[in-house]
Amino acid sequence: MSRPLYQLKAEFFKTLGHPARIRVLELLADREHAVAEMLPEVGIEPANLSQQLAVLRRAGLVTTRKDGANVIYSLPSPHVAELLAVARKILTGVIADQMELLDDLRAPVTPRTAEG
């Protein structure tokens, strides 16, 4: 029996649920990168980066090719970059709403007068 689509989606988003993986995908949205190029940008140990890249590879979110001794990573589809852009738009809206609420909370309270 196949798994429901909502379960597959949950697993997909779980794969995205690590900051290093998101950072890797952001880098690859601009252009392909060798592992050595990504290390300083992602800011984690080489072994940890390799683990995170393996998770993304198993999920089909990155592809690889060899260039001499280097392994070059890229996105298999522009849809991955589009997903990151949509997530950015959603977060921008959420944060803007929170800023408005914060501004409302910081506004001085005007005392109500009792009319009678």
Side-chain angles (χ1 to χ4, degrees), residues 92-106:
T92 300
V94 168
I95 292 170
D97 290 346
Q98 291 172 347
M99 292 298 294
E100 287 178 23
L101 178 59
L102 183 59
D103 289 343
D104 290 346
L105 290 171
R106 287 183 173 160

Side-chain angles (χ1 to χ4, degrees), residues 43-54:
I44 59 176
E45 295 297 318
N48 194 355
L49 180 58
S50 292
Q51 290 173 346
Q52 302 308 326
L53 288 167

Side-chain angles (χ1 to χ4, degrees), residues 1 14 17 25-26 29 34-35 38 41 44 46 51 60 64 67 74 77-78 89 91 98 101-102 107 111 114:
M1 182 157 75
K14 185 177 177 182
L25 294 174
E26 288 174 341
V35 175
M38 288 188 276
E41 297 292 328
I44 59 176
Q51 290 173 346
T64 62
D67 183 18
S74 61
S77 164
K89 289 177 186 176
L91 289 172
Q98 291 172 347
L101 178 59
L102 183 59

Side-chain angles (χ1 to χ4, degrees), residues 1-102:
M1 182 157 75
S2 65
R3 292 181 290 179
L5 182 57
Y6 62 84
Q7 186 176 2
L8 294 172
K9 286 180 181 179
E11 291 171 14
F12 172 79
F13 283 108
K14 185 177 177 182
T15 300
L16 296 177
H18 192 285
R21 291 182 216 141
I22 295 294
R23 185 63 185 130
V24 165
L25 294 174
E26 288 174 341
L27 291 170
L28 297 177
D30 290 334
R31 65 175 177 84
E32 63 182 17
H33 282 76
V35 175
E37 293 177 303
M38 288 188 276
L39 272 170
E41 297 292 328
V42 178
I44 59 176
E45 295 297 318
N48 194 355
L49 180 58
S50 292
Q51 290 173 346
Q52 302 308 326
L53 288 167
V55 170
L56 292 171
R57 233 180 7 255
R58 282 192 302 271
L61 293 173
V62 298
T63 57
T64 62
R65 68 176 175 82
K66 290 285 277 179
D67 183 18
N70 292 320
V71 178
I72 308 297
Y73 283 82
S74 61
L75 297 180
S77 164
H79 296 304
V80 177
E82 291 170 16
L83 177 64
L84 294 172
V86 169
R88 184 181 189 100
K89 289 177 186 176
I90 291 168
L91 289 172
T92 300
V94 168
I95 292 170
D97 290 346
Q98 291 172 347
M99 292 298 294
E100 287 178 23
L101 178 59
L102 183 59

